[in-house]
Amino acid sequence: MADVKQGKIKSRESKLSTTLKDQLRCQSCGLTPLCLPVGMSEAETEKLDSIVHRNTPFHKGDHLFRQGDKFKGIYVITSGSVKSYYINKHGEECIVGFYLPGELIGLDAIHNRVYSCSVAVLETTSACEVPFSQLQNLTSEIPSLQHQLMCLLSKEVHNDCEMVAILASHSAEERLASFLLSLSSRYKSRSLSALEFNLSMSRTEIASFLGLAVETVSRTFSRFQEQGLLEVNRKQVKLLDIEALADLGGQYPHELNSGIPLNG
Amino acid sequence: MADVKQGKIKSRESKLSTTLKDQLRCQSCGLTPLCLPVGMSEAETEKLDSIVHRNTPFHKGDHLFRQGDKFKGIYVITSGSVKSYYINKHGEECIVGFYLPGELIGLDAIHNRVYSCSVAVLETTSACEVPFSQLQNLTSEIPSLQHQLMCLLSKEVHNDCEMVAILASHSAEERLASFLLSLSSRYKSRSLSALEFNLSMSRTEIASFLGLAVETVSRTFSRFQEQGLLEVNRKQVKLLDIEALADLGGQYPHELNSGIPLNG
DNA sequence: CACCTTATTTGACTTAGGTCAATAAGTATT
DNA sequence: AATACTTATTGACCTAAGTCAAATAAGGTG
């Protein structure tokens, strides 16, 4: 629904109506508690807001950037979702991550100033672009911005470790269960339903991410449904037995962190 | 040999001889180009040095910290190596990473102030402990410290993405080849031999990390040896055909970064 | 609406890698 | 040095998941 509304924005940033533009400022953004402005004053948030670029929404298949591109800045998804992937030497697409609203993209490119993956949008998606050099200038002025950026980097490291743990824990059921639970908890922390959501990625994309064959993903979905763990119809998923799914997948011990405010 | 020398240090920090103590300062540490002081002046490095704790060397099986412990600070290995792991609900040890000299540990704990994994040393190991609150104070004073910390966090994100890619690329050969190449390039950037090194971890630990069975790791080593790709005898490894190993394992496109100075 | 294309599901068969078991090679202990 | 203990290797067998192929379901298009 948000997409429909945003679909009307066909023109560039400068042509946006002032009311819409107001909705798109950091100060009034619903994602603020997950994003960079955590802990910042009104005035500081305004400063941050002033360096952010908000482009026309991207459409399915559009790219935020491509692997090898010079690093310009980080992106924050505000609506929609994207995949991060690279092409291996066999020409296959390997998906390294999916990003939802409030999540930062491009953090891995800070240290060598080159994006190491391509990022393509999975559905109509809006994103804020934060030019890194300007962001860095601001961090020296605004200590809580520096702190929050570090926290978000740390959280990303944490998530990636979690993913390593999931992928190393062999079975297809464990992987898919963990994947669904991860999505669920991420939706939840965005005040969306933790139990019922739409997958924006295809089975093939899930398979690539989890290191499985498409058919295995499909079969595992079916098996979960037979077992009454969930209902699935194409992209629509309804989790029926979170407990059982957690028993399958939740191996990594960091339920520790979920729910704890980032700025502790 | 380094271990033997350090083995003599039986007393606490305060009792170290002044010459030894000098060798252990950031200003004279050989790992500086990989570590936090990158880009810092002599005076700034001295400030950093003054907050660093250097404990008696740890011995095999000792822990730097355990999962669930309150986050105190980050550690930098100066010699030896460690594993980071957690215990899953079946009571099995799941290894999430290995760390070599110059690598930072505990970065994933910044955001929620709790270590999410345990870290145990694999051989006699020295590490610097950098208390985080003090480090944070210093970052506001020293811009290049802030920058380098961010770069190291970013690099960690990058490495973890790489690991996700490796684990998702199914085959045992690909995984082991990638693992060996990763070690090789890390040794290389520490001015150690990229072709001949000792594994400080057991086959079981490699298996856990790569999401394989021990037997598979062992068999894959044997197969690589039969194919003339390497020579292996227990912990000793000599890579004979890096090219061929890279063909097997090197799927992720970030040879981009290796060799590029961190502060670019 | 009929047609085409693409995504998903399901079945049949194959295989990489897991499991179990035995052996061998180191390590540590007395 | 003899013992027990641990770690690594190798073989035999089995199973989870991959591959190939076909059927079904959605979506998109003229």
Side-chain angles (χ1 to χ4, degrees):
Chain A
M1 300 151 278
D3 291 344
V4 175
K5 211 185 262 170
Q6 286 157 357
K8 290 178 186 164
I9 309 168
K10 298 220 179 59
S11 48
R12 319 213 125 266
E13 189 177 353
S14 55
K15 294 184 191 161
L16 293 171
S17 72
T18 38
T19 34
L20 256 173
K21 216 170 174 178
D22 274 351
Q23 285 173 20
L24 295 178
R25 296 169 72 220
C26 291
Q27 295 89 322
S28 46
C29 174
L31 294 165
T32 288
L34 296 167
C35 188
L36 286 167
V38 166
M40 283 167 56
S41 72
E42 186 78 18
E44 289 167 342
T45 307
E46 203 143 337
K47 271 192 189 167
L48 174 62
D49 181 73
S50 73
I51 68 164
V52 171
H53 296 313
R54 295 180 183 86
N55 303 306
T56 317
F58 296 92
H59 298 291
K60 184 169 181 170
D62 288 350
H63 278 74
L64 300 195
F65 50 77
R66 288 174 189 274
Q67 77 189 58
D69 283 359
K70 191 165 171 299
F71 174 64
K72 287 186 304 179
I74 58 182
Y75 290 81
V76 189
I77 304 293
T78 54
S79 75
S81 55
V82 306
K83 65 177 173 185
S84 146
Y85 71 95
Y86 68 96
I87 303 292
N88 72 13
K89 53 182 55 164
H90 308 298
E92 300 154 344
E93 175 181 294
C94 300
I95 291 180
V96 217
F98 298 109
Y99 295 88
L100 304 182
E103 295 177 336
L104 274 64
I105 302 166
L107 294 176
D108 61 326
I110 293 174
H111 80 289
N112 62 355
R113 302 312 172 107
V114 169
Y115 295 112
S116 51
C117 292
S118 300
V119 171
V121 326
L122 296 169
E123 59 191 319
T124 304
T125 292
S126 301
C128 294
E129 186 186 334
V130 192
F132 191 69
S133 56
Q134 293 178 58
L135 179 63
Q136 230 178 347
N137 293 340
L138 271 190
T139 55
S140 13
E141 271 182 57
I142 309 174
S144 42
L145 177 60
Q146 190 211 313
H147 181 251
Q148 177 62 2
L149 181 55
M150 201 140 63
C151 280
L152 288 170
L153 271 156
S154 170
K155 195 171 169 54
E156 183 71 27
V157 173
H158 189 274
N159 291 344
D160 291 348
C161 285
E162 192 170 327
M163 196 57 215
V164 168
I166 290 170
L167 289 179
S169 80
H170 337 257
S171 99
E173 293 197 347
E174 280 166 6
R175 292 180 193 201
L176 188 59
S178 298
F179 174 68
L180 292 171
L181 290 171
S182 158
L183 285 180
S184 168
S185 84
R186 283 150 79 193
Y187 283 126
K188 191 175 184 180
S189 69
R190 279 149 192 82
S191 317
L192 297 168
S193 170
L195 299 180
E196 212 169 342
F197 45 83
N198 266 38
L199 302 169
S200 56
M201 65 292 287
S202 70
R203 297 286 188 273
T204 309
E205 286 164 335
I206 296 174
S208 165
F209 183 53
L210 297 179
L212 299 171
V214 207
E215 295 91 331
T216 305
V217 171
S218 184
R219 272 188 262 265
T220 308
F221 264 122
S222 303
R223 205 171 329 132
F224 282 170
Q225 180 157 257
E226 281 162 29
Q227 294 166 355
L229 305 184
L230 51 73
E231 274 171 22
V232 59
N233 189 301
R234 298 246 137 189
K235 307 263 182 190
Q236 291 199 311
V237 176
K238 188 173 176 179
L239 306 183
L240 299 176
D241 192 345
I242 289 260
E243 286 297 309
L245 286 169
D247 279 349
L248 275 174
Q251 308 252 12
Y252 194 73
H254 34 287
E255 277 60 22
L256 291 166
N257 83 3
S258 59
I260 294 178
L262 286 181
N263 232 340
Chain B
M1 300 144 274
D3 291 343
V4 176
K5 210 185 260 171
Q6 287 156 358
K8 289 179 186 164
I9 309 168
K10 297 219 180 60
S11 48
R12 319 216 123 265
E13 187 178 353
S14 55
K15 291 184 192 161
L16 292 172
S17 72
T18 37
T19 34
L20 254 173
K21 217 171 174 175
D22 274 349
Q23 283 171 22
L24 295 177
R25 294 169 74 219
C26 292
Q27 295 89 320
S28 47
C29 175
L31 294 165
T32 288
L34 296 166
C35 187
L36 286 167
V38 167
M40 283 167 57
S41 72
E42 186 78 18
E44 289 167 340
T45 306
E46 203 144 336
K47 273 192 188 167
L48 174 63
D49 181 71
S50 72
I51 69 165
V52 171
H53 296 314
R54 296 183 182 83
N55 303 307
T56 318
F58 296 91
H59 297 291
K60 184 169 180 170
D62 290 348
H63 279 74
L64 301 194
F65 50 76
R66 287 173 190 274
Q67 77 189 58
D69 284 357
K70 192 165 171 301
F71 174 65
K72 289 186 301 180
I74 58 182
Y75 291 80
V76 189
I77 305 293
T78 55
S79 75
S81 55
V82 306
K83 64 178 173 185
S84 149
Y85 71 96
Y86 70 96
I87 304 291
N88 72 13
K89 54 183 53 163
H90 309 298
E92 299 153 344
E93 175 181 294
C94 301
I95 292 180
V96 217
F98 298 109
Y99 295 88
L100 303 183
E103 295 177 335
L104 274 64
I105 301 167
L107 294 177
D108 61 328
I110 293 174
H111 79 290
N112 62 355
R113 303 310 174 108
V114 169
Y115 294 112
S116 50
C117 291
S118 301
V119 170
V121 327
L122 295 169
E123 58 191 320
T124 303
T125 292
S126 302
C128 295
E129 186 186 333
V130 191
F132 191 69
S133 56
Q134 293 177 60
L135 178 63
Q136 231 178 348
N137 293 339
L138 272 190
T139 54
S140 15
E141 270 182 59
I142 308 174
S144 43
L145 177 59
Q146 189 211 313
H147 181 252
Q148 177 63 3
L149 181 55
M150 200 141 63
C151 280
L152 289 170
L153 272 156
S154 171
K155 195 170 168 55
E156 183 71 28
V157 173
H158 189 274
N159 291 343
D160 291 349
C161 283
E162 192 169 328
M163 196 57 214
V164 167
I166 290 170
L167 289 178
S169 82
H170 337 259
S171 99
E173 294 197 347
E174 279 167 6
R175 292 182 193 200
L176 187 61
S178 298
F179 174 68
L180 293 171
L181 289 172
S182 158
L183 285 180
S184 168
S185 84
R186 284 148 80 193
Y187 283 125
K188 191 176 185 181
S189 69
R190 279 150 193 81
S191 318
L192 297 168
S193 170
L195 297 180
E196 211 167 346
F197 45 85
N198 266 38
L199 301 170
S200 56
M201 65 293 287
S202 69
R203 297 287 188 272
T204 309
E205 287 164 334
I206 296 173
S208 164
F209 183 54
L210 297 180
L212 299 170
V214 208
E215 295 92 332
T216 305
V217 171
S218 186
R219 270 187 263 265
T220 308
F221 265 122
S222 303
R223 204 169 331 133
F224 282 170
Q225 181 157 255
E226 281 163 30
Q227 295 167 355
L229 304 185
L230 49 74
E231 274 171 23
V232 61
N233 189 303
R234 297 248 139 186
K235 307 262 183 191
Q236 291 201 311
V237 177
K238 187 173 178 180
L239 306 183
L240 299 177
D241 192 344
I242 289 259
E243 287 296 310
L245 286 168
D247 280 348
L248 275 174
Q251 308 252 10
Y252 194 74
H254 35 288
E255 277 60 20
L256 290 166
N257 83 2
S258 61
I260 295 178
L262 287 180
N263 234 341

